[in-house]
């Protein structure tokens, strides 16, 4: 199965403390949904959610020990559940 193209332009459109509103431009391919993960300092990923929209609100984030910025990965998921390459974003605390 074909791998969908990655979304473009991932950015924070609003921030208040640990609350972030992330927005992006969807891939031009047929996309079932998008998944959002937080990349922790040790390299593991924490699933934050999935959406069919072009935005996602994350509430109550806190820095992990020693973390100076939060890292996020967004992927497009195709009709056959194949995932795109990740698009990453770093947001300083």
């Amino acid at each position: 199965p074909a791998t969908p193209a990655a979304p473009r332009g991932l950015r924070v459109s609003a921030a208040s403390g640990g609350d972030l509103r992330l927005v992006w431009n969807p891939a031009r391919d047929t996309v079932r949904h998008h998944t959002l993960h937080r990349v922790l300092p040790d390299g593991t990923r924490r699933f934050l959610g999935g959406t069919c929209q072009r935005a996602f609100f994350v509430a109550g984030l806190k820095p992990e020990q020693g973390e100076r910025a939060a890292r996020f990965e967004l992927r497009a998921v195709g009709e056959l559940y194949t995932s795109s390459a990740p698009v990453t974003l770093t947001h300083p605390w």
Side-chain angles (χ1 to χ4, degrees):
T3 301
R8 303 170 321 280
L10 177 61
R11 63 199 176 279
V12 174
S13 67
S16 176
D19 299 342
L20 301 176
R21 182 175 187 270
L22 305 173
V23 296
W24 59 88
N25 299 318
R28 294 190 177 117
D29 297 341
T30 302
V31 173
R32 176 176 286 278
H33 62 270
H34 295 89
T35 59
L36 181 67
H37 288 86
R38 181 174 175 188
V39 181
L40 301 175
D42 66 0
T44 60
R45 298 184 316 147
R46 180 178 296 153
F47 180 72
L48 297 176
T51 182
C52 296
Q53 304 301 317
R54 299 181 331 174
F56 196 86
F57 179 75
V58 183
L61 292 175
K62 295 180 182 175
E64 296 290 323
Q65 185 173 1
E67 187 179 48
R68 301 186 94 135
R71 283 186 39 214
F72 301 95
E73 280 187 357
L74 179 72
R75 296 173 191 259
V77 179
E79 290 296 324
L80 297 176
Y81 297 100
T82 54
S83 294
S84 72
V87 174
T88 60
L89 169 75
T90 302
H91 183 73
W93 289 111

